[in-house]
């Protein structure tokens, strides 16, 4: 990401160079939040399977809350004298991560991948909190408030992945595809035993044999012209 230009003014108590540093921090956080909101909607549209309703409905409030976080980050950039960038082109150009990689899939598989998405954004938010705390406690407070919500949302996601012993089904996965595969419920294909033949009484046997013979002749006539 290219550094923001130094603003002509910033909030009282900060120098313009300090304001620029905070704007840089918030710009990438804004991109991450906008990307997360889009990813949540993508998952909302592409979940399938027996957990569809629960997961589909769980994600809409998260999307709305993340959009509010993005709005707050953008407004803070403006207050600091910066220029928030919210267009798709700038997001794609300046982000440091790839697109979400899971398409139409089982709802629990998506949650396995989404857990990794939340882990990434939470880690980066925490790093930004630490840097912002050295310069601007107001921005630090804003990002901490974001973390409170993001960590709660990850908890909701992980509740679907956690076993009774407290382990996560996607533990150890380092890609979204691997996390999805690990989290997806394994549906063993039911083995169907071959149907047992029921013995027919003697008259029925003769009738069945005659019908079979007639059908064979009819089939022969239909295929020979």
């Amino acid at each position: 990401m290219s550094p923001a230009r130094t603003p002509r003014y910033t909030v009282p108590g900060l120098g313009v160079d300090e304001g620029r540093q905070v704007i840089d921090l918030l710009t990438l956080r804004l991109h991450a939040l906008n990307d997360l909101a889009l990813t949540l909607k993508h998952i909302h549209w592409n979940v399938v399977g027996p957990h569809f309703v629960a997961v589909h409905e769980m994600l809409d409030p998260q999307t709305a809350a993340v959009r509010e976080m993005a709005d707050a980050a953008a407004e803070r950039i403006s207050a600091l004298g910066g220029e928030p960038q919210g267009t798709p082109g700038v997001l794609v150009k300046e982000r440091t991560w790839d697109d979400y990689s899971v398409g139409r899939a089982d709802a629990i598989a998506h949650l396995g991948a989404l857990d990794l998405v939340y882990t990434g954004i939470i880690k980066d938010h925490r790093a930004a909190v630490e840097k912002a705390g050295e310069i601007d406690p107001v921005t630090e407070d804003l990002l901490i408030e974001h973390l409170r919500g993001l960590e709660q949302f990850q908890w909701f996601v992980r509740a679907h992945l956690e076993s009774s012993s407290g382990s996560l089904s996607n533990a150890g996965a380092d890609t979204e595809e691997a996390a999805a595969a690990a989290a997806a419920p394994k549906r063993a294909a039911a083995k169907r035993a071959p149907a047992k033949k029921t013995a027919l009484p003697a008259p029925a046997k003769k009738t069945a044999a005659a019908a079979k013979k007639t059908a064979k002749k009819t089939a022969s006539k239909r295929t020979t012209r």
Side-chain angles (χ1 to χ4, degrees), residues 27-215:
T27 295
L28 203 53
R29 296 298 84 226
L30 174 60
H31 292 338
L33 291 167
N34 279 332
D35 186 87
L36 176 60
L38 291 170
T39 298
L40 288 168
K41 263 303 178 186
H42 168 83
I43 297 171
H44 171 86
W45 294 324
N46 283 287
V47 292
V48 295
H51 301 281
F52 165 78
V53 173
V55 174
H56 183 79
E57 294 184 351
M58 179 182 76
L59 295 180
D60 260 348
Q62 294 189 18
T63 304
V66 170
R67 283 174 175 164
E68 288 184 7
M69 293 177 193
D71 189 53
E75 290 179 352
R76 183 61 184 164
I77 291 171
S78 289
L80 288 159
E83 184 180 349
Q85 299 291 323
T87 62
V90 174
L91 166 58
V92 172
K93 179 182 177 182
E94 296 187 352
R95 69 184 178 183
T96 58
W97 56 91
D98 295 325
D99 261 345
Y100 183 75
S101 55
V102 181
R104 189 173 181 84
D106 182 272
I108 302 302
H110 269 298
L111 293 185
L114 180 58
D115 178 45
L116 263 64
V117 174
Y118 270 122
T119 293
I121 193 171
I122 288 169
K123 283 183 177 179
D124 289 345
H125 247 63
R126 282 185 169 273
V129 164
E130 187 176 351
K131 291 178 182 177
E134 299 171 358
I135 308 169
D136 178 24
V138 177
T139 298
E140 177 189 33
D141 182 64
L142 174 68
L143 294 174
I144 288 172
E145 186 61 30
H146 289 177
L147 278 170
R148 189 173 289 112
L150 293 169
E151 289 178 359
Q152 183 185 54
F153 296 155
Q154 187 178 37
W155 170 48
F156 292 166
V157 169
R158 285 181 165 181
H160 292 78
L161 307 173
E162 187 177 1
S163 69
S164 57
S165 63
S167 60
L168 296 174
S169 58
N170 64 340
D174 56 2
T175 67
E176 291 161 0
E177 293 92 338
K186 296 175 181 176
R187 301 172 188 170
K191 293 182 179 179
R192 296 181 181 178
K196 293 181 179 179
K197 294 181 179 179
T198 304
L200 294 173
K205 283 183 180 180
K206 290 180 181 179
T207 303
K212 187 175 180 181
K213 188 175 181 181
T214 302

